[in-house]
PDB file of all heavy atoms in Angstrom:
ATOM      1  N   ALA A1302      -1.690  -3.763  26.824  1.00 66.00           N
ATOM      2  CA  ALA A1302      -1.020  -2.909  27.805  1.00 66.00           C
ATOM      3  C   ALA A1302      -1.991  -1.963  28.512  1.00 66.00           C
ATOM      4  O   ALA A1302      -1.879  -1.725  29.724  1.00 66.00           O
ATOM      5  CB  ALA A1302       0.084  -2.104  27.124  1.00 66.00           C
ATOM      6  N   GLY A1303      -2.970  -1.414  27.803  1.00 63.00           N
ATOM      7  CA  GLY A1303      -3.850  -0.391  28.375  1.00 63.00           C
ATOM      8  C   GLY A1303      -5.264  -0.831  28.641  1.00 63.00           C
ATOM      9  O   GLY A1303      -6.069  -0.040  29.131  1.00 63.00           O
ATOM     10  N   GLY A1304      -5.615  -2.058  28.266  1.00 59.00           N
ATOM     11  CA  GLY A1304      -6.974  -2.526  28.488  1.00 59.00           C
ATOM     12  C   GLY A1304      -7.879  -2.194  27.314  1.00 59.00           C
ATOM     13  O   GLY A1304      -7.509  -1.480  26.380  1.00 59.00           O
ATOM     14  N   ASP A1305      -9.118  -2.682  27.405  1.00 58.00           N
ATOM     15  CA  ASP A1305     -10.061  -2.490  26.289  1.00 58.00           C
ATOM     16  C   ASP A1305     -10.577  -1.064  26.172  1.00 58.00           C
ATOM     17  O   ASP A1305     -11.128  -0.669  25.142  1.00 58.00           O
ATOM     18  CB  ASP A1305     -11.257  -3.438  26.454  1.00 58.00           C
ATOM     19  CG  ASP A1305     -10.851  -4.894  26.309  1.00 58.00           C
ATOM     20  OD1 ASP A1305      -9.833  -5.152  25.632  1.00 58.00           O
ATOM     21  OD2 ASP A1305     -11.546  -5.760  26.878  1.00 58.00           O
ATOM     22  N   ASN A1306     -10.436  -0.269  27.231  1.00 59.00           N
ATOM     23  CA  ASN A1306     -10.971   1.089  27.200  1.00 59.00           C
ATOM     24  C   ASN A1306     -10.007   2.108  26.614  1.00 59.00           C
ATOM     25  O   ASN A1306     -10.346   3.289  26.506  1.00 59.00           O
ATOM     26  CB  ASN A1306     -11.350   1.526  28.627  1.00 59.00           C
ATOM     27  CG  ASN A1306     -12.486   0.695  29.193  1.00 59.00           C
ATOM     28  OD1 ASN A1306     -13.370   0.276  28.437  1.00 59.00           O
ATOM     29  ND2 ASN A1306     -12.458   0.450  30.497  1.00 59.00           N
ATOM     30  N   CYS A1307      -8.788   1.687  26.267  1.00 56.00           N
ATOM     31  CA  CYS A1307      -7.827   2.638  25.711  1.00 56.00           C
ATOM     32  C   CYS A1307      -8.219   3.011  24.286  1.00 56.00           C
ATOM     33  O   CYS A1307      -8.903   2.258  23.596  1.00 56.00           O
ATOM     34  CB  CYS A1307      -6.411   2.059  25.739  1.00 56.00           C
ATOM     35  SG  CYS A1307      -6.189   0.636  24.662  1.00 56.00           S
ATOM     36  N   ARG A1308      -7.751   4.168  23.849  1.00 57.00           N
ATOM     37  CA  ARG A1308      -8.097   4.656  22.509  1.00 57.00           C
ATOM     38  C   ARG A1308      -7.357   3.841  21.451  1.00 57.00           C
ATOM     39  O   ARG A1308      -6.170   3.571  21.569  1.00 57.00           O
ATOM     40  CB  ARG A1308      -7.702   6.136  22.375  1.00 57.00           C
ATOM     41  CG  ARG A1308      -8.160   6.778  21.066  1.00 57.00           C
ATOM     42  CD  ARG A1308      -7.767   8.250  21.050  1.00 57.00           C
ATOM     43  NE  ARG A1308      -6.322   8.410  21.079  1.00 57.00           N
ATOM     44  CZ  ARG A1308      -5.548   8.398  19.985  1.00 57.00           C
ATOM     45  NH1 ARG A1308      -6.093   8.210  18.786  1.00 57.00           N
ATOM     46  NH2 ARG A1308      -4.241   8.576  20.094  1.00 57.00           N
ATOM     47  N   SER A1309      -8.083   3.453  20.402  1.00 55.00           N
ATOM     48  CA  SER A1309      -7.484   2.638  19.341  1.00 55.00           C
ATOM     49  C   SER A1309      -6.611   3.498  18.442  1.00 55.00           C
ATOM     50  O   SER A1309      -6.997   4.612  18.063  1.00 55.00           O
ATOM     51  CB  SER A1309      -8.577   1.971  18.498  1.00 55.00           C
ATOM     52  OG  SER A1309      -9.326   1.073  19.283  1.00 55.00           O
ATOM     53  N   ILE A1310      -5.437   2.975  18.114  1.00 56.00           N
ATOM     54  CA  ILE A1310      -4.561   3.680  17.170  1.00 56.00           C
ATOM     55  C   ILE A1310      -5.173   3.657  15.781  1.00 56.00           C
ATOM     56  O   ILE A1310      -5.185   4.654  15.065  1.00 56.00           O
ATOM     57  CB  ILE A1310      -3.164   3.022  17.150  1.00 56.00           C
ATOM     58  CG1 ILE A1310      -2.561   2.994  18.547  1.00 56.00           C
ATOM     59  CG2 ILE A1310      -2.230   3.768  16.202  1.00 56.00           C
ATOM     60  CD1 ILE A1310      -1.221   2.268  18.614  1.00 56.00           C
ATOM     61  N   TYR A1311      -5.679   2.487  15.402  1.00 53.00           N
ATOM     62  CA  TYR A1311      -6.280   2.313  14.073  1.00 53.00           C
ATOM     63  C   TYR A1311      -7.704   1.780  14.265  1.00 53.00           C
ATOM     64  O   TYR A1311      -7.890   0.576  14.495  1.00 53.00           O
ATOM     65  CB  TYR A1311      -5.475   1.327  13.233  1.00 53.00           C
ATOM     66  CG  TYR A1311      -4.001   1.644  13.149  1.00 53.00           C
ATOM     67  CD1 TYR A1311      -3.064   0.854  13.805  1.00 53.00           C
ATOM     68  CD2 TYR A1311      -3.540   2.724  12.404  1.00 53.00           C
ATOM     69  CE1 TYR A1311      -1.713   1.137  13.730  1.00 53.00           C
ATOM     70  CE2 TYR A1311      -2.192   3.022  12.334  1.00 53.00           C
ATOM     71  CZ  TYR A1311      -1.278   2.211  12.991  1.00 53.00           C
ATOM     72  OH  TYR A1311       0.053   2.494  12.920  1.00 53.00           O
ATOM     73  N   PRO A1312      -8.726   2.640  14.185  1.00 54.00           N
ATOM     74  CA  PRO A1312     -10.106   2.147  14.301  1.00 54.00           C
ATOM     75  C   PRO A1312     -10.425   1.071  13.274  1.00 54.00           C
ATOM     76  O   PRO A1312     -11.160   0.135  13.555  1.00 54.00           O
ATOM     77  CB  PRO A1312     -10.941   3.422  14.063  1.00 54.00           C
ATOM     78  CG  PRO A1312     -10.022   4.551  14.405  1.00 54.00           C
ATOM     79  CD  PRO A1312      -8.652   4.095  14.027  1.00 54.00           C
ATOM     80  N   ASN A1313      -9.851   1.210  12.101  1.00 53.00           N
ATOM     81  CA  ASN A1313     -10.008   0.192  11.050  1.00 53.00           C
ATOM     82  C   ASN A1313      -8.630  -0.048  10.430  1.00 53.00           C
ATOM     83  O   ASN A1313      -8.209   0.691   9.536  1.00 53.00           O
ATOM     84  CB  ASN A1313     -11.001   0.668   9.989  1.00 53.00           C
ATOM     85  CG  ASN A1313     -11.267  -0.411   8.947  1.00 53.00           C
ATOM     86  OD1 ASN A1313     -10.703  -1.503   9.000  1.00 53.00           O
ATOM     87  ND2 ASN A1313     -12.134  -0.111   7.993  1.00 53.00           N
ATOM     88  N   PRO A1314      -7.888  -1.083  10.913  1.00 50.00           N
ATOM     89  CA  PRO A1314      -6.512  -1.288  10.441  1.00 50.00           C
ATOM     90  C   PRO A1314      -6.390  -1.509   8.936  1.00 50.00           C
ATOM     91  O   PRO A1314      -5.351  -1.220   8.347  1.00 50.00           O
ATOM     92  CB  PRO A1314      -6.067  -2.544  11.215  1.00 50.00           C
ATOM     93  CG  PRO A1314      -6.968  -2.605  12.404  1.00 50.00           C
ATOM     94  CD  PRO A1314      -8.268  -2.041  11.949  1.00 50.00           C
ATOM     95  N   GLY A1315      -7.460  -2.013   8.297  1.00 50.00           N
ATOM     96  CA  GLY A1315      -7.391  -2.290   6.868  1.00 50.00           C
ATOM     97  C   GLY A1315      -7.754  -1.109   5.993  1.00 50.00           C
ATOM     98  O   GLY A1315      -7.685  -1.216   4.758  1.00 50.00           O
ATOM     99  N   LYS A1316      -8.143   0.019   6.613  1.00 61.00           N
ATOM    100  CA  LYS A1316      -8.518   1.183   5.815  1.00 61.00           C
ATOM    101  C   LYS A1316      -7.271   1.877   5.285  1.00 61.00           C
ATOM    102  O   LYS A1316      -6.314   2.106   6.024  1.00 61.00           O
ATOM    103  CB  LYS A1316      -9.342   2.161   6.658  1.00 61.00           C
ATOM    104  CG  LYS A1316     -10.033   3.223   5.821  1.00 61.00           C
ATOM    105  CD  LYS A1316     -11.106   3.935   6.623  1.00 61.00           C
ATOM    106  CE  LYS A1316     -11.878   4.905   5.734  1.00 61.00           C
ATOM    107  NZ  LYS A1316     -12.967   5.579   6.473  1.00 61.00           N
ATOM    108  N   LYS A1317      -7.299   2.203   4.017  1.00 61.00           N
ATOM    109  CA  LYS A1317      -6.106   2.757   3.353  1.00 61.00           C
ATOM    110  C   LYS A1317      -5.958   4.236   3.689  1.00 61.00           C
ATOM    111  O   LYS A1317      -6.382   5.115   2.940  1.00 61.00           O
ATOM    112  CB  LYS A1317      -6.204   2.517   1.848  1.00 61.00           C
ATOM    113  CG  LYS A1317      -6.060   1.049   1.471  1.00 61.00           C
ATOM    114  CD  LYS A1317      -6.144   0.826  -0.018  1.00 61.00           C
ATOM    115  CE  LYS A1317      -7.573   0.858  -0.494  1.00 61.00           C
ATOM    116  NZ  LYS A1317      -8.369  -0.269   0.048  1.00 61.00           N
ATOM    117  N   ARG A1318      -5.303   4.476   4.843  1.00 65.00           N
ATOM    118  CA  ARG A1318      -4.990   5.832   5.278  1.00 65.00           C
ATOM    119  C   ARG A1318      -3.574   5.851   5.820  1.00 65.00           C
ATOM    120  O   ARG A1318      -3.049   4.836   6.263  1.00 65.00           O
ATOM    121  CB  ARG A1318      -5.971   6.295   6.367  1.00 65.00           C
ATOM    122  CG  ARG A1318      -7.333   6.689   5.829  1.00 65.00           C
ATOM    123  CD  ARG A1318      -8.173   7.313   6.923  1.00 65.00           C
ATOM    124  NE  ARG A1318      -9.459   7.773   6.405  1.00 65.00           N
ATOM    125  CZ  ARG A1318     -10.385   8.367   7.137  1.00 65.00           C
ATOM    126  NH1 ARG A1318     -10.160   8.568   8.437  1.00 65.00           N
ATOM    127  NH2 ARG A1318     -11.530   8.752   6.599  1.00 65.00           N
ATOM    128  N   GLY A1319      -2.964   7.031   5.785  1.00 66.00           N
ATOM    129  CA  GLY A1319      -1.621   7.161   6.338  1.00 66.00           C
ATOM    130  C   GLY A1319      -0.600   6.315   5.600  1.00 66.00           C
ATOM    131  O   GLY A1319      -0.538   6.285   4.366  1.00 66.00           O
ATOM    132  N   GLY A1320       0.196   5.581   6.381  1.00 72.00           N
ATOM    133  CA  GLY A1320       1.255   4.766   5.786  1.00 72.00           C
ATOM    134  C   GLY A1320       0.733   3.656   4.889  1.00 72.00           C
ATOM    135  O   GLY A1320       1.358   3.317   3.892  1.00 72.00           O
ATOM    136  N   LEU A1321      -0.427   3.084   5.245  1.00 75.00           N
ATOM    137  CA  LEU A1321      -0.991   2.010   4.414  1.00 75.00           C
ATOM    138  C   LEU A1321      -1.389   2.528   3.046  1.00 75.00           C
ATOM    139  O   LEU A1321      -1.262   1.818   2.050  1.00 75.00           O
ATOM    140  CB  LEU A1321      -2.196   1.378   5.123  1.00 75.00           C
ATOM    141  CG  LEU A1321      -2.837   0.186   4.417  1.00 75.00           C
ATOM    142  CD1 LEU A1321      -1.832  -0.940   4.232  1.00 75.00           C
ATOM    143  CD2 LEU A1321      -4.060  -0.313   5.182  1.00 75.00           C
ATOM    144  N   TRP A1322      -1.873   3.772   2.973  1.00 79.00           N
ATOM    145  CA  TRP A1322      -2.233   4.364   1.673  1.00 79.00           C
ATOM    146  C   TRP A1322      -0.996   4.458   0.788  1.00 79.00           C
ATOM    147  O   TRP A1322      -1.038   4.116  -0.395  1.00 79.00           O
ATOM    148  CB  TRP A1322      -2.844   5.750   1.896  1.00 79.00           C
ATOM    149  CG  TRP A1322      -3.371   6.399   0.644  1.00 79.00           C
ATOM    150  CD1 TRP A1322      -4.625   6.264   0.129  1.00 79.00           C
ATOM    151  CD2 TRP A1322      -2.650   7.274  -0.238  1.00 79.00           C
ATOM    152  NE1 TRP A1322      -4.739   7.010  -1.023  1.00 79.00           N
ATOM    153  CE2 TRP A1322      -3.540   7.636  -1.285  1.00 79.00           C
ATOM    154  CE3 TRP A1322      -1.362   7.771  -0.260  1.00 79.00           C
ATOM    155  CZ2 TRP A1322      -3.176   8.481  -2.323  1.00 79.00           C
ATOM    156  CZ3 TRP A1322      -0.983   8.616  -1.293  1.00 79.00           C
ATOM    157  CH2 TRP A1322      -1.881   8.965  -2.310  1.00 79.00           C
ATOM    158  N   TRP A1323       0.113   4.908   1.381  1.00 84.00           N
ATOM    159  CA  TRP A1323       1.347   5.010   0.608  1.00 84.00           C
ATOM    160  C   TRP A1323       1.873   3.630   0.203  1.00 84.00           C
ATOM    161  O   TRP A1323       2.365   3.453  -0.908  1.00 84.00           O
ATOM    162  CB  TRP A1323       2.402   5.767   1.418  1.00 84.00           C
ATOM    163  CG  TRP A1323       2.191   7.248   1.424  1.00 84.00           C
ATOM    164  CD1 TRP A1323       1.699   8.003   2.445  1.00 84.00           C
ATOM    165  CD2 TRP A1323       2.443   8.149   0.343  1.00 84.00           C
ATOM    166  NE1 TRP A1323       1.628   9.329   2.073  1.00 84.00           N
ATOM    167  CE2 TRP A1323       2.079   9.447   0.782  1.00 84.00           C
ATOM    168  CE3 TRP A1323       2.934   7.979  -0.955  1.00 84.00           C
ATOM    169  CZ2 TRP A1323       2.207  10.574  -0.032  1.00 84.00           C
ATOM    170  CZ3 TRP A1323       3.062   9.102  -1.763  1.00 84.00           C
ATOM    171  CH2 TRP A1323       2.700  10.383  -1.304  1.00 84.00           C
ATOM    172  N   THR A1324       1.780   2.658   1.106  1.00 83.00           N
ATOM    173  CA  THR A1324       2.209   1.295   0.769  1.00 83.00           C
ATOM    174  C   THR A1324       1.410   0.754  -0.405  1.00 83.00           C
ATOM    175  O   THR A1324       1.969   0.156  -1.332  1.00 83.00           O
ATOM    176  CB  THR A1324       2.041   0.370   1.988  1.00 83.00           C
ATOM    177  OG1 THR A1324       2.839   0.855   3.068  1.00 83.00           O
ATOM    178  CG2 THR A1324       2.468  -1.052   1.661  1.00 83.00           C
ATOM    179  N   TYR A1325       0.098   0.964  -0.373  1.00 84.00           N
ATOM    180  CA  TYR A1325      -0.765   0.468  -1.446  1.00 84.00           C
ATOM    181  C   TYR A1325      -0.458   1.178  -2.763  1.00 84.00           C
ATOM    182  O   TYR A1325      -0.360   0.535  -3.817  1.00 84.00           O
ATOM    183  CB  TYR A1325      -2.231   0.661  -1.058  1.00 84.00           C
ATOM    184  CG  TYR A1325      -3.190  -0.146  -1.891  1.00 84.00           C
ATOM    185  CD1 TYR A1325      -3.537  -1.434  -1.528  1.00 84.00           C
ATOM    186  CD2 TYR A1325      -3.742   0.379  -3.059  1.00 84.00           C
ATOM    187  CE1 TYR A1325      -4.414  -2.182  -2.293  1.00 84.00           C
ATOM    188  CE2 TYR A1325      -4.617  -0.361  -3.826  1.00 84.00           C
ATOM    189  CZ  TYR A1325      -4.947  -1.645  -3.442  1.00 84.00           C
ATOM    190  OH  TYR A1325      -5.802  -2.388  -4.224  1.00 84.00           O
ATOM    191  N   LEU A1326      -0.296   2.505  -2.702  1.00 87.00           N
ATOM    192  CA  LEU A1326      -0.016   3.262  -3.918  1.00 87.00           C
ATOM    193  C   LEU A1326       1.326   2.861  -4.526  1.00 87.00           C
ATOM    194  O   LEU A1326       1.433   2.645  -5.740  1.00 87.00           O
ATOM    195  CB  LEU A1326      -0.040   4.757  -3.622  1.00 87.00           C
ATOM    196  CG  LEU A1326       0.252   5.682  -4.812  1.00 87.00           C
ATOM    197  CD1 LEU A1326      -0.826   5.547  -5.883  1.00 87.00           C
ATOM    198  CD2 LEU A1326       0.361   7.141  -4.350  1.00 87.00           C
ATOM    199  N   LEU A1327       2.352   2.742  -3.679  1.00 89.00           N
ATOM    200  CA  LEU A1327       3.669   2.350  -4.177  1.00 89.00           C
ATOM    201  C   LEU A1327       3.656   0.928  -4.726  1.00 89.00           C
ATOM    202  O   LEU A1327       4.378   0.616  -5.682  1.00 89.00           O
ATOM    203  CB  LEU A1327       4.711   2.480  -3.060  1.00 89.00           C
ATOM    204  CG  LEU A1327       5.033   3.911  -2.617  1.00 89.00           C
ATOM    205  CD1 LEU A1327       5.996   3.903  -1.437  1.00 89.00           C
ATOM    206  CD2 LEU A1327       5.621   4.722  -3.777  1.00 89.00           C
ATOM    207  N   SER A1328       2.836   0.056  -4.144  1.00 87.00           N
ATOM    208  CA  SER A1328       2.735  -1.309  -4.674  1.00 87.00           C
ATOM    209  C   SER A1328       2.141  -1.307  -6.084  1.00 87.00           C
ATOM    210  O   SER A1328       2.578  -2.066  -6.953  1.00 87.00           O
ATOM    211  CB  SER A1328       1.881  -2.176  -3.742  1.00 87.00           C
ATOM    212  OG  SER A1328       0.506  -1.832  -3.814  1.00 87.00           O
ATOM    213  N   LEU A1329       1.172  -0.424  -6.332  1.00 90.00           N
ATOM    214  CA  LEU A1329       0.586  -0.326  -7.672  1.00 90.00           C
ATOM    215  C   LEU A1329       1.620   0.177  -8.685  1.00 90.00           C
ATOM    216  O   LEU A1329       1.724  -0.357  -9.794  1.00 90.00           O
ATOM    217  CB  LEU A1329      -0.614   0.614  -7.647  1.00 90.00           C
ATOM    218  CG  LEU A1329      -1.824   0.179  -6.809  1.00 90.00           C
ATOM    219  CD1 LEU A1329      -2.865   1.277  -6.789  1.00 90.00           C
ATOM    220  CD2 LEU A1329      -2.407  -1.115  -7.355  1.00 90.00           C
ATOM    221  N   ILE A1330       2.364   1.212  -8.290  1.00 92.00           N
ATOM    222  CA  ILE A1330       3.382   1.753  -9.190  1.00 92.00           C
ATOM    223  C   ILE A1330       4.471   0.724  -9.461  1.00 92.00           C
ATOM    224  O   ILE A1330       4.942   0.568 -10.596  1.00 92.00           O
ATOM    225  CB  ILE A1330       3.984   3.040  -8.583  1.00 92.00           C
ATOM    226  CG1 ILE A1330       2.895   4.110  -8.455  1.00 92.00           C
ATOM    227  CG2 ILE A1330       5.138   3.557  -9.434  1.00 92.00           C
ATOM    228  CD1 ILE A1330       3.339   5.355  -7.719  1.00 92.00           C
ATOM    229  N   PHE A1331       4.856  -0.017  -8.426  1.00 92.00           N
ATOM    230  CA  PHE A1331       5.892  -1.038  -8.578  1.00 92.00           C
ATOM    231  C   PHE A1331       5.417  -2.155  -9.510  1.00 92.00           C
ATOM    232  O   PHE A1331       6.174  -2.610 -10.384  1.00 92.00           O
ATOM    233  CB  PHE A1331       6.262  -1.618  -7.217  1.00 92.00           C
ATOM    234  CG  PHE A1331       7.365  -2.645  -7.274  1.00 92.00           C
ATOM    235  CD1 PHE A1331       8.689  -2.249  -7.329  1.00 92.00           C
ATOM    236  CD2 PHE A1331       7.075  -3.994  -7.266  1.00 92.00           C
ATOM    237  CE1 PHE A1331       9.709  -3.181  -7.395  1.00 92.00           C
ATOM    238  CE2 PHE A1331       8.075  -4.940  -7.325  1.00 92.00           C
ATOM    239  CZ  PHE A1331       9.394  -4.533  -7.388  1.00 92.00           C
ATOM    240  N   LYS A1332       4.161  -2.595  -9.348  1.00 91.00           N
ATOM    241  CA  LYS A1332       3.632  -3.664 -10.200  1.00 91.00           C
ATOM    242  C   LYS A1332       3.593  -3.223 -11.663  1.00 91.00           C
ATOM    243  O   LYS A1332       3.990  -3.984 -12.558  1.00 91.00           O
ATOM    244  CB  LYS A1332       2.238  -4.076  -9.731  1.00 91.00           C
ATOM    245  CG  LYS A1332       2.225  -4.842  -8.433  1.00 91.00           C
ATOM    246  CD  LYS A1332       0.853  -5.384  -8.089  1.00 91.00           C
ATOM    247  CE  LYS A1332      -0.132  -4.321  -7.749  1.00 91.00           C
ATOM    248  NZ  LYS A1332      -1.417  -4.875  -7.227  1.00 91.00           N
ATOM    249  N   ALA A1333       3.107  -2.013 -11.913  1.00 93.00           N
ATOM    250  CA  ALA A1333       3.067  -1.514 -13.286  1.00 93.00           C
ATOM    251  C   ALA A1333       4.476  -1.367 -13.839  1.00 93.00           C
ATOM    252  O   ALA A1333       4.735  -1.699 -15.007  1.00 93.00           O
ATOM    253  CB  ALA A1333       2.326  -0.178 -13.337  1.00 93.00           C
ATOM    254  N   GLY A1334       5.413  -0.885 -13.022  1.00 94.00           N
ATOM    255  CA  GLY A1334       6.796  -0.712 -13.471  1.00 94.00           C
ATOM    256  C   GLY A1334       7.454  -2.043 -13.817  1.00 94.00           C
ATOM    257  O   GLY A1334       8.154  -2.155 -14.828  1.00 94.00           O
ATOM    258  N   VAL A1335       7.234  -3.061 -12.982  1.00 93.00           N
ATOM    259  CA  VAL A1335       7.811  -4.385 -13.250  1.00 93.00           C
ATOM    260  C   VAL A1335       7.289  -4.941 -14.567  1.00 93.00           C
ATOM    261  O   VAL A1335       8.059  -5.455 -15.399  1.00 93.00           O
ATOM    262  CB  VAL A1335       7.490  -5.354 -12.092  1.00 93.00           C
ATOM    263  CG1 VAL A1335       7.775  -6.798 -12.487  1.00 93.00           C
ATOM    264  CG2 VAL A1335       8.306  -4.989 -10.864  1.00 93.00           C
ATOM    265  N   ASP A1336       5.987  -4.849 -14.778  1.00 93.00           N
ATOM    266  CA  ASP A1336       5.410  -5.368 -16.023  1.00 93.00           C
ATOM    267  C   ASP A1336       5.957  -4.629 -17.239  1.00 93.00           C
ATOM    268  O   ASP A1336       6.255  -5.249 -18.271  1.00 93.00           O
ATOM    269  CB  ASP A1336       3.885  -5.256 -15.980  1.00 93.00           C
ATOM    270  CG  ASP A1336       3.240  -6.438 -15.275  1.00 93.00           C
ATOM    271  OD1 ASP A1336       3.876  -7.503 -15.198  1.00 93.00           O
ATOM    272  OD2 ASP A1336       2.101  -6.292 -14.794  1.00 93.00           O
ATOM    273  N   MET A1337       6.104  -3.315 -17.143  1.00 94.00           N
ATOM    274  CA  MET A1337       6.625  -2.552 -18.285  1.00 94.00           C
ATOM    275  C   MET A1337       8.094  -2.882 -18.554  1.00 94.00           C
ATOM    276  O   MET A1337       8.513  -2.975 -19.714  1.00 94.00           O
ATOM    277  CB  MET A1337       6.437  -1.054 -18.034  1.00 94.00           C
ATOM    278  CG  MET A1337       4.994  -0.602 -18.159  1.00 94.00           C
ATOM    279  SD  MET A1337       4.777   1.202 -18.140  1.00 94.00           S
ATOM    280  CE  MET A1337       5.064   1.554 -16.412  1.00 94.00           C
ATOM    281  N   VAL A1338       8.875  -3.084 -17.494  1.00 94.00           N
ATOM    282  CA  VAL A1338      10.281  -3.464 -17.673  1.00 94.00           C
ATOM    283  C   VAL A1338      10.387  -4.813 -18.373  1.00 94.00           C
ATOM    284  O   VAL A1338      11.200  -4.987 -19.297  1.00 94.00           O
ATOM    285  CB  VAL A1338      11.007  -3.492 -16.308  1.00 94.00           C
ATOM    286  CG1 VAL A1338      12.357  -4.194 -16.436  1.00 94.00           C
ATOM    287  CG2 VAL A1338      11.211  -2.081 -15.782  1.00 94.00           C
ATOM    288  N   PHE A1339       9.565  -5.762 -17.981  1.00 92.00           N
ATOM    289  CA  PHE A1339       9.622  -7.084 -18.611  1.00 92.00           C
ATOM    290  C   PHE A1339       9.099  -7.054 -20.042  1.00 92.00           C
ATOM    291  O   PHE A1339       9.563  -7.812 -20.894  1.00 92.00           O
ATOM    292  CB  PHE A1339       8.860  -8.108 -17.773  1.00 92.00           C
ATOM    293  CG  PHE A1339       9.689  -8.726 -16.691  1.00 92.00           C
ATOM    294  CD1 PHE A1339       9.758  -8.143 -15.434  1.00 92.00           C
ATOM    295  CD2 PHE A1339      10.435  -9.868 -16.932  1.00 92.00           C
ATOM    296  CE1 PHE A1339      10.538  -8.700 -14.434  1.00 92.00           C
ATOM    297  CE2 PHE A1339      11.219 -10.433 -15.939  1.00 92.00           C
ATOM    298  CZ  PHE A1339      11.272  -9.858 -14.680  1.00 92.00           C
ATOM    299  N   LEU A1340       8.130  -6.194 -20.319  1.00 92.00           N
ATOM    300  CA  LEU A1340       7.695  -6.036 -21.711  1.00 92.00           C
ATOM    301  C   LEU A1340       8.848  -5.538 -22.574  1.00 92.00           C
ATOM    302  O   LEU A1340       9.044  -5.999 -23.709  1.00 92.00           O
ATOM    303  CB  LEU A1340       6.519  -5.061 -21.788  1.00 92.00           C
ATOM    304  CG  LEU A1340       5.150  -5.577 -21.350  1.00 92.00           C
ATOM    305  CD1 LEU A1340       4.132  -4.445 -21.354  1.00 92.00           C
ATOM    306  CD2 LEU A1340       4.690  -6.716 -22.259  1.00 92.00           C
ATOM    307  N   TYR A1341       9.625  -4.611 -22.031  1.00 92.00           N
ATOM    308  CA  TYR A1341      10.788  -4.094 -22.764  1.00 92.00           C
ATOM    309  C   TYR A1341      11.854  -5.178 -22.928  1.00 92.00           C
ATOM    310  O   TYR A1341      12.458  -5.302 -24.009  1.00 92.00           O
ATOM    311  CB  TYR A1341      11.364  -2.892 -22.031  1.00 92.00           C
ATOM    312  CG  TYR A1341      12.629  -2.342 -22.660  1.00 92.00           C
ATOM    313  CD1 TYR A1341      12.568  -1.595 -23.838  1.00 92.00           C
ATOM    314  CD2 TYR A1341      13.874  -2.585 -22.091  1.00 92.00           C
ATOM    315  CE1 TYR A1341      13.725  -1.105 -24.427  1.00 92.00           C
ATOM    316  CE2 TYR A1341      15.033  -2.096 -22.669  1.00 92.00           C
ATOM    317  CZ  TYR A1341      14.955  -1.357 -23.836  1.00 92.00           C
ATOM    318  OH  TYR A1341      16.101  -0.886 -24.411  1.00 92.00           O
ATOM    319  N   ILE A1342      12.082  -5.966 -21.877  1.00 90.00           N
ATOM    320  CA  ILE A1342      13.080  -7.044 -21.957  1.00 90.00           C
ATOM    321  C   ILE A1342      12.687  -8.052 -23.025  1.00 90.00           C
ATOM    322  O   ILE A1342      13.517  -8.471 -23.847  1.00 90.00           O
ATOM    323  CB  ILE A1342      13.231  -7.729 -20.589  1.00 90.00           C
ATOM    324  CG1 ILE A1342      13.901  -6.778 -19.593  1.00 90.00           C
ATOM    325  CG2 ILE A1342      14.053  -9.013 -20.709  1.00 90.00           C
ATOM    326  CD1 ILE A1342      13.950  -7.308 -18.181  1.00 90.00           C
ATOM    327  N   PHE A1343      11.425  -8.448 -23.038  1.00 88.00           N
ATOM    328  CA  PHE A1343      10.964  -9.399 -24.055  1.00 88.00           C
ATOM    329  C   PHE A1343      11.114  -8.808 -25.457  1.00 88.00           C
ATOM    330  O   PHE A1343      11.469  -9.516 -26.405  1.00 88.00           O
ATOM    331  CB  PHE A1343       9.502  -9.782 -23.801  1.00 88.00           C
ATOM    332  CG  PHE A1343       9.327 -10.921 -22.837  1.00 88.00           C
ATOM    333  CD1 PHE A1343       8.856 -10.696 -21.563  1.00 88.00           C
ATOM    334  CD2 PHE A1343       9.648 -12.218 -23.203  1.00 88.00           C
ATOM    335  CE1 PHE A1343       8.702 -11.737 -20.658  1.00 88.00           C
ATOM    336  CE2 PHE A1343       9.492 -13.263 -22.320  1.00 88.00           C
ATOM    337  CZ  PHE A1343       9.020 -13.027 -21.041  1.00 88.00           C
TER     338      PHE A1343
END
């Protein structure tokens, strides 16, 4: 929409900042929680 000279929203889209940091952190907590729940079920 703005051409190559427009300012980038994410200079590095894969860098864990902002919403991506929270997504990554919550994914870690979710993975640990799932494993602990299944350990209890077993």
Side-chain angles (χ1 to χ4, degrees):
D1305 294 335
N1306 295 326
C1307 66
R1308 186 178 64 86
S1309 296
I1310 303 176
Y1311 308 109
N1313 185 359
K1316 193 165 185 178
K1317 290 181 281 294
R1318 283 188 177 181
L1321 184 59
W1322 185 88
W1323 282 105
T1324 300
Y1325 196 89
L1326 179 64
L1327 291 176
S1328 72
L1329 295 175
I1330 297 173
F1331 182 82
K1332 288 187 292 188
V1335 166
D1336 275 338
M1337 287 190 286
V1338 167
F1339 274 89
L1340 284 174
Y1341 176 75
I1342 291 173
F1343 274 107

